[in-house]
């Protein structure tokens, strides 16, 4: 049987996958029907996707040229000077001033000077919008700069910084005690100069997206237009199963932004438990997926001793040959594809753990390899106090997910096997989670 292709997987999980902000490619996702917007860091997600809009990037690309059309107004100011002339002499006003003192002081001059005014509505809007972009780029985007879909901002970010902090005209515009109102933005949208018009248009869009009255249609359109597709089919398959778990085990789920941090994908609760579902992660910190060489030496075993000796020799020789050493402090470590932690409500005690290993395959041998990896996780995972989880009292289960491979049994002891007939087994997994709280 054939593996499910990328398009089929995307179609099934797009509404949940809007939180994905890791390695991938940006494109239009026509499969989004109703994006799941109960997201913990929705503001951050909107910020990033706003920067991915072609209109925003194009505006910043053109900004060094557009800024040359910076507008000021001029006003005429009349001043009286003694012994000096500034600007144009107003002889009529000068004679009048001299007359007031009986023509005794011929050093009196009334002058008219032209004063440039930078403090106009469109300049306030412009500086506020460029300042907004500068703030987002300065505080919120560092972790995304290495991803291909965000890489152009490595070139665009210095443009924003340079103009905001060092442009001679913009620096004279002060926003102190200034509130940029929607009316100011709406007026500036009508401006003939694209420097101001486009800034106001994009600023208004950003405000609508971040409004307290959630504009679901406009946010959904933004996420659809700037969707980040995972670049590896196996990652997409892992997230497909994460989404299936959410669909079958949860109600009122809150999604989390997957941005390469802790990789918490979703959280939800029922009467008994708080659930936390992680993707490609070691979880919340209550568990350890690491066995150190010093720990292994505490119990003598000839195989382990030789394994550690080989690692140490590898490090020495690698340093002599390549100038690089290797880690000799880790005998085993891992990071599960999926990790579900269940905490007792009220006490906050971790009472159950589900470890998931995902293989995007129809090959039995590769699936068996995944089973081996899953069982290693289950045998080696420890609590924070160093005791193995399999020794209790925390209930531990493992789930092996793969594609269309027929199986004789879907469960052996504490290991569940979930393939293309997943709905029945996911329902069983859901029942086990629920029954644990009763």
């Amino acid at each position: 049987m054939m593996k499910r292709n990328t398009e089929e997987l995307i179609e099934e999980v797009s509404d949940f996958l809007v939180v994905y902000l890791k390695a991938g490619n940006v494109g239009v996702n026509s499969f989004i029907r109703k994006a799941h917007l109960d997201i913990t860091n929705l503001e951050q997600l909107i910020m990033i996707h706003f920067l991915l809009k072609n209109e925003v990037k194009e505006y910043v690309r053109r900004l060094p040229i557009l800024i040359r059309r910076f507008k000021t107004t001029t006003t005429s100011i009349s001043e009286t000077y003694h012994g000096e002339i500034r600007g144009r002499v107003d002889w009529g006003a000068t004679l009048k001033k001299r007359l007031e003192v009986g023509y005794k002081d011929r050093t009196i001059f009334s002058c008219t000077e032209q004063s440039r005014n930078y403090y106009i509505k469109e300049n306030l809007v412009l500086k506020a919008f460029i300042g907004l972009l500068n703030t987002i780029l300065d505080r919120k985007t560092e972790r995304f700069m290495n991803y291909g879909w965000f890489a152009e901002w490595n070139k665009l970010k210095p443009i924003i910084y340079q103009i905001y902090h060092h442009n001679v005209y913009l620096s004279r515009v002060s926003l102190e005690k200034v509130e940029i109102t929607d009316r100011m933005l709406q007026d500036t949208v009508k401006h003939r100069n694209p420097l101001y018009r486009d800034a106001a248009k994009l600023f208004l869009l950003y405000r609508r997206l971040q409004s307290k009255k959630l504009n679901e249609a406009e946010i959904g359109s933004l996420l659809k237009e700037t969707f980040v597709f995972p670049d590896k089919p196996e990652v997409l398959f892992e997230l497909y199963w994460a989404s299936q778990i959410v669909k079958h085990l949860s109600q009122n789920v809150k999604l989390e932004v997957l941005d390469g941090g802790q990789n918490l994908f979703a959280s939800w609760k029922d009467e008994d438990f708080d659930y936390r579902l992680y993707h490609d992660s070691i979880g919340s910190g209550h568990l350890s997926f690491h066995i150190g060489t010093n720990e292994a030496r505490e119990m003598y075993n000839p195989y382990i001793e030789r394994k550690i000796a080989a690692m140490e020799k590898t490090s020495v020789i690698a340093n002599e040959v390549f100038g690089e050493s290797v880690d000799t402090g880790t005998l085993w470590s891992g990071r599960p594809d999926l990790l579900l932690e269940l905490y007792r409500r009220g006490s906050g005690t971790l009472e159950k753990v589900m470890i998931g290993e995902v293989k995007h395959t129809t090959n039995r041998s590769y699936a068996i390899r995944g089973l081996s990896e899953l069982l290693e996780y289950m045998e080696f995972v420890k609590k924070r106090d160093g005791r193995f989880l399999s020794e209790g009292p925390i209930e531990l289960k493992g789930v092996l997910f793969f594609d269309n491979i027929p199986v004789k049994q879907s469960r052996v002891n504490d290991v569940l096997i979930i393939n293309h007939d997943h709905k029945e087994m996911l329902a069983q997994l859901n029942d086990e989670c629920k029954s644990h709280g009763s």
Side-chain angles (χ1 to χ4, degrees):
M1 299 181 72
M2 297 289 290
K3 291 192 296 186
R4 275 169 291 189
N5 61 42
T6 298
E7 188 171 297
E8 290 175 323
L9 298 174
I10 287 288
E11 184 174 4
E12 286 201 48
V13 301
S14 288
D15 291 344
F16 290 94
L17 218 55
V18 292
V19 295
Y20 183 81
L21 289 179
K22 296 198 287 185
N25 302 289
V26 170
V28 176
N29 185 347
S30 57
F31 292 121
I32 293 180
R33 300 178 184 89
K34 184 175 175 58
H36 187 97
L37 297 181
D38 191 358
I39 300 169
T40 298
N41 295 318
L42 182 59
E43 288 185 7
Q44 179 200 6
L45 187 70
I46 290 172
M47 283 181 193
I48 301 305
H49 281 276
F50 179 74
L51 293 178
L52 295 179
K53 280 186 69 68
N54 287 329
E55 294 91 331
V56 177
K57 291 188 286 188
E58 179 60 21
Y59 180 77
V60 178
R61 291 186 202 111
R62 296 165 56 213
L63 194 53
I65 302 298
L66 292 175
I67 199 70
R68 298 175 186 174
R69 297 180 63 185
F70 190 89
K71 179 184 175 184
T72 59
T73 60
T74 56
T75 56
S76 297
I77 301 174
S78 295
E79 293 286 349
T80 299
Y81 298 99
H82 291 265
E84 62 177 324
I85 296 174
R86 294 184 186 179
R88 182 176 59 84
V89 176
D90 184 340
W91 286 107
T94 297
L95 293 173
K96 186 176 180 181
K97 286 289 184 182
R98 291 179 180 179
L99 180 61
E100 292 175 357
V101 295
Y103 286 101
K104 295 178 180 178
D105 189 350
R106 293 180 177 272
T107 66
I108 294 176
F109 295 94
S110 288
C111 302
T112 300
E113 296 180 80
Q114 298 295 318
S115 174
R116 270 193 170 187
N117 181 23
Y118 297 85
Y119 197 79
I120 57 176
K121 177 171 52 185
E122 47 265 59
N123 285 341
L124 297 174
V125 168
L126 175 66
K127 182 155 188 178
F129 180 63
I130 296 177
L132 170 68
L133 294 179
N134 184 70
T135 299
I136 295 174
L137 290 166
D138 190 44
R139 301 177 185 174
K140 309 289 184 180
T141 60
E142 197 59 41
R143 67 176 58 185
F144 305 114
M145 289 298 183
N146 292 327
Y147 293 133
W149 51 266
F150 202 77
E152 187 178 1
W153 280 103
N154 283 302
K155 297 179 181 178
L156 299 180
K157 181 178 179 179
I159 295 175
I160 292 293
Y161 182 88
Q162 180 67 25
I163 290 176
Y164 185 72
H165 290 284
H166 300 296
N167 181 269
V168 64
Y169 300 115
L170 202 63
S171 63
R172 296 180 182 179
V173 179
S174 173
L175 293 176
E176 188 177 355
K177 297 181 180 180
V178 172
E179 178 187 358
I180 305 298
T181 65
D182 286 349
R183 179 62 183 270
M184 292 169 66
L185 294 174
Q186 289 158 359
D187 289 345
T188 308
V189 163
K190 303 170 188 174
H191 208 287
R192 288 182 294 177
N193 187 339
L195 172 66
Y196 302 111
R197 181 183 65 238
D198 294 347
K201 189 184 301 181
L202 293 171
F203 205 159
L204 274 172
L205 171 61
Y206 184 82
R207 280 196 171 177
R208 291 197 303 272
L209 291 169
Q210 295 285 21
S211 172
K212 291 181 180 178
K213 294 181 180 179
L214 199 62
N215 190 330
E216 293 191 11
E218 198 149 24
I219 293 173
S221 177
L222 173 70
L223 299 178
K224 178 178 180 177
E225 175 189 337
T226 57
F227 190 86
V228 180
F229 295 86
D231 60 353
K232 296 180 179 179
E234 57 267 31
V235 173
L236 175 60
F237 196 56
E238 292 162 9
L239 292 169
Y240 164 81
W241 284 111
S243 300
Q244 293 299 329
I245 290 173
V246 167
K247 286 181 181 181
H248 287 84
L249 271 68
S250 70
Q251 291 181 343
N252 301 318
V253 66
K254 184 173 284 291
L255 298 181
E256 307 285 336
V257 176
L258 285 174
D259 58 4
Q262 197 179 40
N263 281 347
L264 177 63
F265 177 64
S267 58
W268 65 95
K269 59 185 65 176
D270 58 24
E271 293 181 358
D272 301 299
F273 290 103
D274 290 322
Y275 299 75
R276 297 176 193 167
L277 177 62
Y278 297 86
H279 168 251
D280 187 28
S281 171
I282 59 174
S284 62
H286 287 86
L287 305 174
S288 172
F289 291 86
H290 179 271
I291 303 292
T293 51
N294 289 335
E295 178 184 353
R297 281 194 171 110
E298 292 175 3
M299 184 174 293
Y300 177 77
N301 180 290
Y303 169 78
I304 297 297
E305 286 295 319
R306 289 180 177 275
K307 173 70 174 176
I308 295 172
M311 292 167 59
E312 292 172 343
K313 289 178 182 177
T314 300
S315 182
V316 171
I317 295 174
N319 190 45
E320 292 181 2
V321 175
F322 303 107
E324 295 183 13
S325 58
V326 297
D327 176 22
T328 59
T330 301
L331 184 63
W332 174 89
S333 67
R335 190 169 59 202
D337 295 329
L338 301 175
L339 181 65
L340 180 62
E341 299 178 350
L342 279 71
Y343 294 86
R344 174 68 63 178
R345 297 196 68 183
S347 68
T349 303
L350 179 62
E351 290 198 4
K352 182 171 179 177
V353 171
M354 184 215 78
I355 300 173
E357 178 64 23
V358 182
K359 293 299 180 190
H360 189 204
T361 186
T362 57
N363 182 287
R364 290 180 183 272
S365 297
Y366 194 50
I368 292 171
R369 175 179 163 188
L371 176 63
S372 174
E373 292 171 3
L374 173 63
L375 292 171
E376 281 192 1
Y377 286 132
M378 295 178 70
E379 289 297 326
F380 293 148
V381 62
K382 296 178 294 185
K383 292 172 282 190
R384 279 191 294 196
D385 62 10
R387 289 184 296 170
F388 289 104
L389 210 65
S390 57
E391 297 173 354
I394 297 173
E395 187 177 342
L396 175 64
K397 294 192 181 300
V399 185
L400 178 64
F401 300 91
F402 48 80
D403 219 302
N404 298 318
I405 304 176
V407 296
K408 293 180 179 180
Q409 289 183 239
S410 295
R411 177 176 187 146
V412 179
N413 300 323
D414 290 327
V415 176
L416 276 67
I417 309 298
I418 300 183
N419 59 4
H420 60 289
D421 295 323
H422 62 271
K423 290 185 179 179
E424 178 184 343
M425 292 308 298
L426 281 170
Q428 181 177 337
L429 181 61
N430 182 37
D431 290 340
E432 291 185 12
C433 289
K434 304 290 186 186
S435 65
H436 191 68
S438 59

